[in-house]
Amino acid sequence: MMAIHSPLRSYQAMLFIPLPFVVALLLLILFVTVLRRDEEAQPNRPFLALILLAVLQSVLSGLRWGYGVQAVGVIMPVTAAMVPPLAYAGVSRLVRTSRRPLPTRIALHAVPAAVILLLMVFRRDAIDLALVFVFVGYALAILLLMRPGADALRLAPFEGAVPAYRAIIFAAAALCLSASVDIFVFFDFTWAHGEHALTLISISNLAVLVILGIAAAAASRSRAPAETVEAVLKSETTEDKETIATVDALMEAKKLYRDANLNLDRLARKAGIPTRQISAAINRAMDKNVSQYVNDYRIGEACRLLAASQKSVTEVMFEVGFQTKSNFNREFRRVTDMTPLAWRERKGGSGVSSASS
């Protein structure tokens, strides 16, 4: 009987035990990919650190739940408490430049890990509840930063602002998911003696780590602005019109939209207008965010080039400021309701009007 079941147990172990380590390897590859992609730009270090921390958490999870190394249980709550602050710090770098000095910011974000360390010494039974508050609290803080939508990411290039915004929302959802799992596990141990805890922890932890890693990679690029002072936002309609007229003139004269790394902060510096004033004016007067406004200009020129030149779709894509085909095709369809190739076939060699209005 033992001879019959033993291979089965080995087979099941081979399927289950290596999984956290496979996830760790994939996250490490993701980290290297992001690092190489951003090597010519200023990297978003909190997001890079978040990916590495996800690698560490995955390895620790594999050691504890796969091989029964209980000693790592002392480390895991502390490293877990470092995940939400890193996610928030990465998002904050895309949203604004903090006026607090770096040591102060590091000290503030180290508080959750320090609290967990103290609880491990004096009140171990409160660790799970504390982690729930940390994860939910930081998730709400991230969502609060994202209230203006994609325009909140004023340091992210316009082309990637919408995907980055979605990735950040997924990251906040992953933090909430992790907190929900901790609550479920607490009740499972209370009412069912942990009958379902192992399976739930194994699957959910890996899912959360993967989501956070991918989200951090998607929103990893940022650039520090040269200025941090913003004027007080006014809401007069005439001011909105003047703001848009200034930005329109700048777009048409200097064709700033061709800059693939253009972001709200850089646009504001070029126009000499505060970022919030530009964002609010475009939102109110045009019912769109700044990323869509800039991409409308890009698609408008793309339409002209596709109809009036023999350049390939890829050449046109790069020339007007896009870097990826997925973003180009998505925005082209949003503006024209057709693909770039369909537009070219429909317009043939005839001239077309701008689609940027």
Side-chain angles (χ1 to χ4, degrees):
M1 203 64 163
M2 290 292 294
I4 294 176
H5 291 287
S6 186
L8 178 58
R9 284 199 298 269
S10 298
Y11 179 66
Q12 290 174 334
M14 287 177 64
L15 287 177
F16 171 74
I17 294 176
L19 184 57
F21 299 101
V22 172
V23 171
L25 178 61
L26 293 175
L27 288 171
L28 192 59
I29 293 172
L30 180 64
F31 172 80
V32 174
T33 302
V34 172
L35 197 62
R36 288 180 176 177
R37 185 193 67 190
D38 294 348
E39 60 185 1
E40 296 181 357
Q42 181 180 354
N44 191 315
R45 291 184 179 87
F47 278 148
L48 291 177
L50 178 59
I51 298 175
L52 283 180
L53 188 60
V55 172
L56 176 60
Q57 281 291 92
S58 188
V59 170
L60 294 177
S61 179
L63 290 174
R64 182 176 184 182
W65 304 109
Y67 291 107
V69 182
Q70 298 302 317
V72 300
V74 178
I75 308 171
M76 291 183 70
V78 180
T79 54
M82 296 167 61
V83 170
L86 281 175
Y88 179 86
V91 174
S92 183
R93 286 202 60 185
L94 290 174
V95 173
R96 63 169 181 262
T97 301
S98 177
R99 296 175 184 173
R100 295 191 182 100
L102 182 61
T104 303
R105 280 180 279 155
I106 293 175
L108 286 173
H109 290 311
V111 169
V115 170
I116 296 301
L117 276 173
L118 290 174
L119 290 176
M120 292 185 71
V121 176
F122 299 106
R123 195 69 189 275
R124 295 182 66 90
D125 59 325
I127 289 177
D128 289 338
L129 184 60
L131 285 175
V132 168
F133 278 111
V134 169
F135 274 70
V136 172
Y138 271 96
L140 293 177
I142 289 172
L143 293 175
L144 191 62
L145 289 180
M146 292 292 100
R147 281 186 305 171
D151 285 351
L153 303 174
R154 66 183 184 89
L155 302 185
F158 284 127
E159 182 188 1
V162 173
Y165 170 76
R166 292 171 181 167
I168 289 168
I169 297 301
F170 273 112
L175 295 179
C176 291
L177 173 63
S178 181
S180 301
V181 169
D182 285 343
I183 294 173
F184 182 88
V185 168
F186 172 79
F187 285 116
D188 187 58
F189 273 106
T190 302
W191 295 334
H193 307 289
E195 181 181 349
H196 309 98
L198 179 58
T199 302
L200 183 64
I201 291 173
S202 301
I203 296 174
S204 62
N205 279 357
L206 292 179
V208 168
L209 292 174
V210 169
I211 293 172
L212 286 174
I214 294 175
S220 63
R221 185 174 298 176
S222 68
R223 295 179 184 271
E227 59 190 45
T228 59
V229 179
E230 296 182 354
V232 177
L233 177 65
K234 298 179 181 179
S235 57
E236 299 173 5
T237 304
T238 53
E239 184 180 65
D240 288 347
K241 291 180 179 178
E242 291 173 0
T243 298
I244 293 173
T246 301
V247 178
D248 279 340
L250 196 61
M251 284 289 182
E252 293 169 3
K254 297 189 176 181
K255 299 189 183 300
L256 293 182
Y257 54 86
R258 289 181 177 176
D259 179 3
N261 292 316
L262 183 66
N263 56 38
L264 182 54
D265 190 73
R266 181 176 294 183
L267 177 60
R269 292 203 304 271
K270 294 284 186 182
I273 301 173
T275 56
R276 286 185 292 181
Q277 185 173 325
I278 293 176
S279 176
I282 291 175
N283 271 269
R284 282 193 294 259
M286 307 182 76
D287 196 25
K288 63 180 68 172
N289 59 45
V290 185
S291 176
Q292 291 172 327
Y293 166 82
V294 172
N295 285 336
D296 283 354
Y297 269 98
R298 290 170 172 167
I299 298 303
E301 182 167 358
C303 288
R304 292 191 292 273
L305 290 174
L306 287 170
S309 74
Q310 298 301 316
K311 294 180 179 180
S312 68
V313 172
T314 302
E315 288 175 319
V316 170
M317 176 190 78
F318 285 122
E319 185 169 336
V320 301
F322 285 98
Q323 290 182 304
T324 62
K325 287 186 177 180
S326 59
N327 286 337
F328 178 58
N329 290 333
R330 183 185 64 247
E331 290 299 292
F332 201 98
R333 188 179 291 275
R334 177 181 65 82
V335 175
T336 66
D337 287 327
M338 61 181 69
T339 65
L341 286 176
W343 174 272
R344 169 168 274 173
E345 290 173 0
R346 179 174 177 179
K347 298 298 178 179
S350 61
V352 294
S353 59
S354 170
S356 64
S357 58

